[in-house]
Amino acid sequence: MVTFEEISPADFFYRNRDIAGFTNPVRAIFSALRELVENALDATDLSGVPSEVYIRLSHDNDTELGDDVYRLRIGDNGCGIPARHIPSAFGQVLFGSKYKLKQARGTFGLGGTMAILYGQITTHKPVNIVSSTGTSRIYKYALMIDIQRNRPLILDRTIQINKEQWHGTFIEFSLEGDYSRAMPKILEYLKQTALVTPYANITFVDPKGRLYKFTRVTTKTPPPPKETLPHPYGVDVETMQRLQRITDCQTMPDFMQKHFHRVGETISLSFLDFAGFIRTSDPKNLKGEDISRLVKAIKKNKKKGKNGFSHNLSVKEMQHFIRNTQSGNLVDFMKTHFKGVEKSVILRLLHAAGFIRTKAPRKLRSDEIVKLVRMMKKFDGFLPPDASCLSPLGEDLLKVGILKELKPEYIVVSQRKPSTYSGHPFIVETAIAYGGDIPAKDDILIYRFANRIPLLYDEASDICVKVIRSMNWRRYKVSPSMPIVILVHICSTKVPYKTVGKEFIADRPEVKKEVLNGLREVARQLQHFLTKKEYVARERRRLDVFSKYLPKIAKFSTNLAGKEKEPNIKVLLRSARKFED
Amino acid sequence: MKTKISVSEKKKEVLENLRNFGARLYGQMEEGAFPWIKMPSRSIQNIFYSPEVRQYILGDKAVRRSSRNIRHIRPFTQLVWAAYFAYELAKNRKTSTLRDVYYSAQAFDVAFKDQPESNSIITDLETVVGFAREDFNVFPEERSAIFGDLTIEYTVRGYEGRQYNLMSHPDGVMIGPAITSAEFVKTSTDMVIAIEKGGLFTRFIEEEVHKKFNALLVLLGGQAPRASRHFIYRLNKELELPVHIFTDGDPWGMHIAMVIISGSANAAHLRDLTTPDARWSGVWATDIVDYRLPSDELTPVDIKRLYELQKDPRYKGDLWQKEIKKFLKIRKKAEQEAFSRYGLTYIVDKYLPEKLKEVA
Ligand SMILES: Nc1ncnc2c1ncn2[C@@H]1O[C@H](COP(=O)(O)OP(=O)(O)OP(=O)(O)O)[C@@H](O)[C@H]1O
Ligand SMILES: [Mg+2]
């Protein structure tokens, strides 16, 4: 007999922890650490003070458990969590503050809680949380997760006075893991995080008591992202329905302008006209006062400049037009009788004069909602999203970060202009570092970042890697054995991750194109650098050759000629500089 | 008229040329110029067969090598070094080999990549100085031998003025630096018989061919080294002895004779290595038929070689063309030893007298 049951989100992720990166003890300890570091950095980015992140991983003293159990403690000086949200933030899967449309490391409301959940299922111990938002109180919680119900269980809660107005969060819990095998990845992760967060102090104490300190080299931070409205291209029926239900707008143009990104009056009208959501009266049905209102509006518009109407129109003339027109609605009527006037101008005029009628958004039927969404995707008059919701690192900070962690001989960085895929804005930043402390390996090193998170796993599937592999690097004088790091950073309100584990980026043609262009840009500059370097080296080798052989020629000829003194070849050596082969 | 080629005169000239070469470069440097040289090009396009000189010669094309060119400066330095090395050898009357040259360069930090590179620099030096490397005492490894009544006088250090008769040793005497640089004193012989292979050379001595035919016997040992070619040239020029060359009856043997007679393209920059009046006296293709010699089939490589030779300007002569045709017709080849079929002395008692009469 088939039985049916329901499971909670927490239960779902408990059963499918692989998809969140908690596959085995090695991956689990890496994922737990990175999720909490990312939460800490998100929080400190919001707090407005230079980031401090403290990480301590130690063996759990509890001898009952095996020695593969660790205690992970992570602290930050971030914005803290309001007391009432603390239990849910850490005790409930799919709960978070980052579902908004602005760039952040976190997106799913899952990562930190998954780490804690993993700790709980492997050690059955509660998590301890200390947090304050800088108010007069500090809250301490001991929590466990009710996995079946996806609810936090509060085991203990205490409140302390916050004399120093401290803000930030400390989280501590136990989990099973394999640090010795995860260590290389963890250290690499921290190093790359420090690179892409050069304004943060990151301290890590590992189970052997070793201290790794990544010190900030700047207090400059990237401009904080602003929250943004959804772009029409990125909206689906579900989102539309939610917006339409909650809106207090009475008309469609208002609705469009209030709830969507970069939609103003003109665009809203053009779109609604395009989508067939605008109704205007039959001109024949206009009353006398309507006609004079229309004529007045036209006159007023004319003053505004060249897009206006061609002649001074009297009410009489208008009436004449109306009598003779074939058009069944005002937009059409205006279009036929005022040739050369743009449709958008007509629409605005009619709207301003109150001739445009639309349905109230709340009254849209579901077939209308579907149509609206479909037309949004078809309409080509929307402006591309702006990038104020994004927070790329910027060329200067990227340079500083690379210099700090890689100490290369040469760096080139490039930030692309904002672009979009499916209505989501994104910015690609690329960089290449060469030489210096960078080791020469069999292959070029690739550093991938998304929203300032280093991506370390599943390299082969990543779009950036695919693009890099597809490029003809020989053209840029690059060979695999060179000491080179190629770096790609993609930031977006919606990074196209392939999994909730945030390990690699999916193939999106628009993203791919930007990555390629960005890489070409830095590769070209690297090529210039390498060409020059090669030239200098060649020139040096050339001079070496001359200074090796000319004196020998002088010596042998002197012996042959039976002379006493060797000829003076200093002049020749000096002039060797100028000669090209 | 006998042409006397004085060995010591030549030595002086070689030293002089080497010195001048150094002085020229020295002068260029004194004037603030990167030293350079100009020499006849040895590229294939500049090698021509001259019917007048009866050997390959270089054309008018010249190459300029300048130490100012980054690609030239290393070989240029090696060339100057080689001149210096040769000069020291000749001055001190020491000899060495191509292999020595290759290794010696390393001591002066002008090392050669490999033996061919070193050999080619020595050839450059020959071209620049106008003398064969044997003249500045760089000898090849391979040596041939001579036997017969010829008295020579050594010029090599420690033996100056001593005389020696080349019949003194029944195995023959190696044609090394000492013999090459010796002056000729006297001979009672009437001709030179040059033989390709050592076995037959020894047989000839045993059978007293030198007495029976009043001849000097020269062992070529395959393709004759340049020292021997020059030596044969001197025997022919200075002593006016006719030269007969006996080789195997195949395209390769034929060519051994031809190189002695008309030289090779590789030595187009040199003179006095060829003996245009020397005769190839056997084994011919016609001999294979006439003497019904035991023979082998020509291989495809042999045949290809024959077609090449047929077109070679050195093989214009009637005898050559006739024999090449014959080879191609009978498709057979025979070694010198094939005569043993008729008894070991047949070649000396029967074949040789008939043959010498035929060519004379
Ligand atoms: N150190 C912290 N300081 C302040 N708030 C935090 C901190 N850690 C977690 N939070 C809050 O808890 C919420 C849940 O965190 P969690 O890591 O589970 O999800 P997320 O970061 O929103 O998304 P993601 O699954 O992509 O990491 C966050 O949205 C944030 O509001
Ligand atoms: Mg998170």
Side-chain angles (χ1 to χ4, degrees):
Chain A
M1 210 180 77
V2 187
T3 56
F4 292 89
E5 59 184 319
E6 185 187 345
I7 61 166
S8 77
D11 208 355
F12 173 79
F13 284 108
Y14 159 63
R15 294 165 190 231
N16 300 292
R17 47 193 178 275
D18 284 12
I19 61 173
F22 291 83
T23 320
N24 54 51
V26 183
R27 268 303 278 282
I29 200 159
F30 168 82
S31 294
L33 185 139
R34 67 163 277 197
E35 290 293 351
L36 295 182
V37 167
E38 282 155 25
N39 283 351
L41 287 170
D42 272 340
T44 57
D45 275 354
L46 291 174
S47 74
V49 295
S51 314
E52 299 277 349
V53 177
Y54 170 83
I55 311 149
R56 192 191 68 200
L57 190 65
S58 52
H59 287 286
D60 197 315
N61 295 330
D62 192 338
T63 45
E64 300 265 297
L65 301 157
D67 54 4
D68 53 353
V69 172
Y70 296 89
R71 252 189 118 59
L72 177 58
R73 178 178 166 82
I74 296 201
D76 64 64
N77 62 342
C79 58
I81 309 160
R84 65 197 144 94
H85 291 316
I86 292 176
S88 291
F90 297 107
Q92 185 175 341
V93 161
L94 304 185
F95 179 95
S97 59
K98 303 172 199 166
Y99 294 126
K100 302 190 173 61
L101 283 178
K102 74 176 185 180
Q103 178 184 328
R105 293 173 184 81
T107 44
F108 303 115
L110 180 69
T113 318
M114 268 311 285
I116 291 164
L117 186 147
Y118 180 83
Q120 176 175 321
I121 62 171
T122 53
T123 68
H124 203 73
K125 289 187 172 185
V127 55
N128 293 307
I129 294 144
V130 179
S131 186
S132 174
T133 54
T135 57
S136 56
R137 283 153 190 234
I138 297 173
Y139 297 87
K140 293 190 174 179
Y141 278 86
L143 301 172
M144 287 192 84
I145 306 171
D146 179 344
I147 296 174
Q148 279 183 341
R149 291 172 51 225
N150 190 26
R151 283 274 169 277
L153 298 171
I154 301 170
L155 307 186
D156 189 28
R157 172 186 140 120
T158 52
I159 300 175
Q160 261 179 20
I161 301 303
N162 188 10
K163 279 190 225 122
E164 257 121 62
Q165 283 183 305
W166 171 77
H167 57 84
T169 306
F170 273 83
I171 300 166
E172 185 169 344
F173 64 100
S174 296
L175 78 168
E176 216 176 80
D178 182 347
Y179 174 71
S180 53
R181 285 176 55 207
M183 184 169 95
K185 279 275 192 233
I186 288 178
L187 294 180
E188 184 62 26
Y189 171 81
L190 291 174
K191 175 185 162 140
Q192 291 193 23
T193 301
L195 183 156
V196 80
T197 327
Y199 52 87
N201 272 345
I202 302 172
T203 310
F204 173 48
V205 183
D206 89 346
K208 292 238 162 70
R210 286 175 290 216
L211 173 73
Y212 299 90
K213 228 175 142 65
F214 302 87
T215 313
R216 76 168 64 87
V217 285
T218 176
T219 51
K220 269 210 209 87
T221 55
K226 292 198 189 79
E227 192 179 334
T228 187
L229 298 170
H231 190 276
Y233 289 146
V235 165
D236 55 18
V237 173
E238 175 61 27
T239 318
M240 183 64 84
Q241 207 160 36
R242 286 189 202 178
L243 290 170
Q244 167 260 348
R245 266 190 218 131
I246 55 144
T247 188
D248 50 12
C249 295
Q250 295 304 314
T251 69
M252 285 303 287
D254 282 358
F255 174 72
M256 288 301 297
Q257 289 171 52
K258 176 150 180 208
H259 294 286
F260 295 95
H261 184 53
R262 298 199 73 189
V263 177
E265 189 193 357
T266 311
I267 291 179
S268 71
L269 289 170
S270 298
F271 165 69
L272 290 169
D273 177 53
F274 168 81
F277 280 82
I278 277 180
R279 277 175 296 130
T280 50
S281 331
D282 185 336
K284 297 229 168 60
N285 296 341
L286 287 188
K287 297 194 195 87
E289 65 179 43
D290 293 334
I291 296 177
S292 46
R293 194 164 87 239
L294 184 59
V295 170
K296 216 188 268 163
I298 291 173
K299 267 195 191 131
K300 204 159 126 211
N301 195 287
K302 196 196 164 202
K303 270 186 234 142
K304 282 191 180 156
K306 49 182 177 330
N307 276 343
F309 295 79
S310 51
H311 54 275
N312 228 339
L313 199 73
S314 68
V315 174
K316 263 227 172 80
E317 285 166 303
M318 183 60 97
Q319 278 168 335
H320 175 77
F321 283 153
I322 289 172
R323 257 198 310 280
N324 297 319
T325 192
Q326 310 276 321
S327 309
N329 70 65
L330 264 177
V331 180
D332 244 24
F333 166 76
M334 296 287 280
K335 217 37 211 143
T336 11
H337 290 275
F338 304 98
K339 293 225 161 55
V341 178
E342 272 173 41
K343 197 170 188 186
S344 65
V345 175
I346 293 172
L347 285 167
R348 249 201 353 246
L349 182 140
L350 292 176
H351 185 237
F355 287 103
I356 285 184
R357 273 170 291 129
T358 62
K359 228 176 172 176
R362 302 180 75 142
K363 295 207 176 120
L364 287 177
R365 294 188 315 268
S366 61
D367 61 319
E368 287 171 323
I369 292 173
V370 173
K371 182 180 172 199
L372 191 64
V373 170
R374 194 171 310 134
M375 294 315 264
M376 273 182 172
K377 301 243 193 296
K378 277 198 193 145
F379 184 62
D380 62 3
F382 292 120
L383 295 174
D386 74 22
S388 59
C389 54
L390 299 182
S391 176
L393 197 53
E395 296 188 349
D396 291 345
L397 278 178
L398 193 55
K399 238 184 203 164
V400 165
I402 293 171
L403 205 58
K404 156 176 140 80
E405 289 305 322
L406 300 177
K407 301 192 180 56
E409 176 188 337
Y410 171 79
I411 311 179
V412 52
V413 297
S414 159
Q415 187 185 70
R416 301 284 306 164
K417 290 218 178 62
S419 182
T420 61
Y421 79 94
S422 324
H424 307 293
F426 70 94
I427 289 179
V428 169
E429 294 176 304
T430 52
I432 295 182
Y434 173 94
D437 282 3
I438 298 174
K441 294 265 174 68
D442 303 339
D443 205 353
I444 291 165
L445 289 172
I446 299 171
Y447 283 18
R448 300 173 288 138
F449 299 94
N451 285 0
R452 291 191 242 143
I453 303 175
L455 309 181
L456 297 189
Y457 281 93
D458 299 319
E459 182 170 286
S461 324
D462 191 278
I463 181 159
C464 304
V465 177
K466 284 184 193 157
V467 171
I468 290 171
R469 299 262 174 258
S470 75
M471 289 170 71
N472 178 8
W473 288 94
R474 297 234 158 266
R475 238 194 83 201
Y476 301 102
K477 292 195 176 295
V478 172
S479 70
S481 59
M482 284 182 172
I484 286 181
V485 171
I486 298 177
L487 189 149
V488 184
H489 180 204
I490 297 172
C491 35
S492 177
T493 43
K494 189 170 186 322
V495 174
Y497 293 116
K498 273 209 182 137
T499 66
V500 287
K502 295 179 191 163
E503 291 302 356
F504 62 101
I505 292 179
D507 254 322
R508 298 283 170 148
E510 300 90 341
V511 178
K512 197 169 177 173
K513 188 172 140 232
E514 280 303 296
V515 169
L516 181 62
N517 287 336
L519 283 170
R520 281 194 180 137
E521 172 69 34
V522 285
R524 262 195 299 275
Q525 307 228 23
L526 175 72
Q527 183 192 354
H528 291 154
F529 166 78
L530 289 176
T531 309
K532 205 167 137 202
K533 191 180 166 69
E534 198 181 280
Y535 173 78
V536 170
R538 201 182 334 116
E539 201 49 21
R540 189 168 304 136
R541 272 199 307 276
R542 224 171 65 87
L543 279 181
D544 283 353
V545 169
F546 280 110
S547 20
K548 173 174 175 187
Y549 288 114
L550 270 179
K552 289 185 194 297
I553 297 179
K555 192 177 101 204
F556 298 138
S557 325
T558 310
N559 282 340
L560 271 174
K563 304 273 187 191
E564 293 287 298
K565 206 175 117 260
E566 285 189 16
N568 183 1
I569 51 163
K570 282 216 186 73
V571 195
L572 289 183
L573 280 175
R574 218 172 301 133
S575 68
R577 247 170 239 287
K578 288 178 232 142
F579 290 118
E580 276 308 313
D581 309 351
Chain B
M1 207 199 87
K2 293 192 186 195
T3 344
K4 179 85 181 160
I5 305 165
S6 164
V7 171
S8 54
E9 278 301 309
K10 193 176 188 181
K11 288 268 121 124
K12 249 184 241 151
E13 208 182 319
V14 170
L15 282 177
E16 174 86 6
N17 281 9
L18 287 168
R19 229 181 351 257
N20 286 345
F21 173 56
R24 202 155 65 237
L25 304 184
Y26 187 93
Q28 290 164 348
M29 281 181 276
E30 278 283 279
E31 283 165 22
F34 280 85
W36 59 274
I37 51 162
K38 204 167 171 182
M39 59 180 178
S41 158
R42 289 197 316 278
S43 75
I44 301 289
Q45 293 90 332
N46 200 39
I47 296 178
F48 304 96
Y49 183 75
S50 159
E52 294 93 67
V53 193
R54 299 210 272 174
Q55 72 160 79
Y56 278 108
I57 58 163
L58 295 179
D60 296 335
K61 237 182 267 151
V63 289
R64 195 189 136 101
R65 299 272 171 78
S66 172
S67 60
R68 172 168 148 175
N69 184 318
I70 187 78
R71 281 190 303 274
H72 289 173
I73 187 162
R74 194 177 75 100
F76 193 96
T77 313
Q78 288 169 329
L79 178 63
V80 187
W81 169 78
Y84 162 77
F85 181 76
Y87 182 75
E88 292 293 312
L89 277 180
K91 206 173 67 183
N92 300 316
R93 296 199 283 161
K94 292 252 172 65
T95 64
S96 75
T97 64
L98 287 172
R99 200 71 185 141
D100 287 331
V101 170
Y102 168 73
Y103 283 118
S104 305
Q106 296 175 3
F108 293 86
D109 196 16
V110 286
F112 295 103
K113 273 202 298 288
D114 47 25
Q115 188 66 51
E117 189 186 61
S118 148
N119 294 356
S120 121
I121 290 289
I122 291 297
T123 313
D124 279 348
L125 186 61
E126 292 180 329
T127 316
V128 170
V129 183
F131 282 102
R133 60 170 183 264
E134 290 80 4
D135 294 324
F136 43 80
N137 293 7
V138 178
F139 286 88
E141 295 300 335
E142 62 285 2
R143 303 279 161 93
S144 45
I146 183 165
F147 180 86
D149 178 29
L150 170 64
T151 306
I152 49 115
E153 184 177 314
Y154 290 113
T155 64
V156 288
R157 170 166 290 179
Y159 287 78
E160 295 98 333
R162 270 209 243 171
Q163 298 201 342
Y164 183 77
N165 187 279
L166 297 183
M167 216 155 54
S168 315
H169 189 80
D171 279 343
V173 183
M174 177 195 283
I175 306 179
I179 301 278
T180 318
S181 61
E183 306 275 11
F184 295 158
V185 181
K186 63 171 194 281
T187 181
S188 65
T189 56
D190 295 327
M191 69 170 88
V192 176
I193 299 175
I195 303 131
E196 178 180 344
K197 283 167 161 172
L200 204 60
F201 176 71
T202 310
R203 171 94 43 78
F204 277 23
I205 298 173
E206 283 165 11
E207 296 301 325
E208 305 201 301
V209 172
H210 53 285
K211 277 201 195 133
K212 290 179 185 151
F213 297 89
N214 208 21
L216 279 170
L217 305 180
V218 173
L219 165 63
L220 300 172
Q223 194 57 260
R226 285 180 2 181
S228 313
R229 279 149 61 191
H230 178 61
F231 198 75
I232 293 171
Y233 160 83
R234 283 184 61 202
L235 293 173
N236 178 253
K237 265 269 141 65
E238 291 183 42
L239 304 176
E240 291 186 316
L241 299 175
V243 177
H244 293 278
I245 308 162
F246 279 97
T247 67
D248 281 344
D250 59 27
W252 317 98
M254 197 155 69
H255 198 63
I256 289 173
M258 179 53 83
V259 170
I260 293 170
I261 297 168
S262 292
S264 64
N266 293 344
H269 60 294
L270 296 171
R271 297 289 176 275
D272 304 347
L273 291 179
T274 58
T275 311
D277 291 325
R279 293 289 177 81
W280 177 46
S281 309
V283 176
W284 297 348
T286 33
D287 295 340
I288 298 176
V289 181
D290 295 353
Y291 290 87
R292 280 190 279 134
L293 294 177
S295 56
D296 292 322
E297 291 287 319
L298 288 176
T299 65
V301 186
D302 295 332
I303 291 168
K304 188 168 160 263
R305 183 67 181 154
L306 281 165
Y307 282 117
E308 275 169 25
L309 297 184
Q310 202 168 30
K311 278 180 260 138
D312 191 306
R314 291 171 290 185
Y315 284 82
K316 274 233 169 67
D318 292 343
L319 171 71
W320 300 108
Q321 290 295 327
K322 190 182 104 216
E323 290 302 324
I324 289 172
K325 271 206 205 96
K326 192 85 183 176
F327 271 123
L328 288 170
K329 194 169 152 231
I330 62 174
R331 305 250 150 182
K332 292 269 180 333
K333 59 183 177 182
E335 293 186 290
Q336 296 178 312
E337 292 88 337
F339 287 101
S340 306
R341 170 190 175 171
Y342 302 110
L344 289 178
T345 58
Y346 180 85
I347 187 167
V348 177
D349 298 342
K350 188 97 167 67
Y351 174 73
L352 209 52
E354 282 179 13
K355 207 61 202 182
L356 290 177
K357 202 185 288 165
E358 186 182 344
V359 225

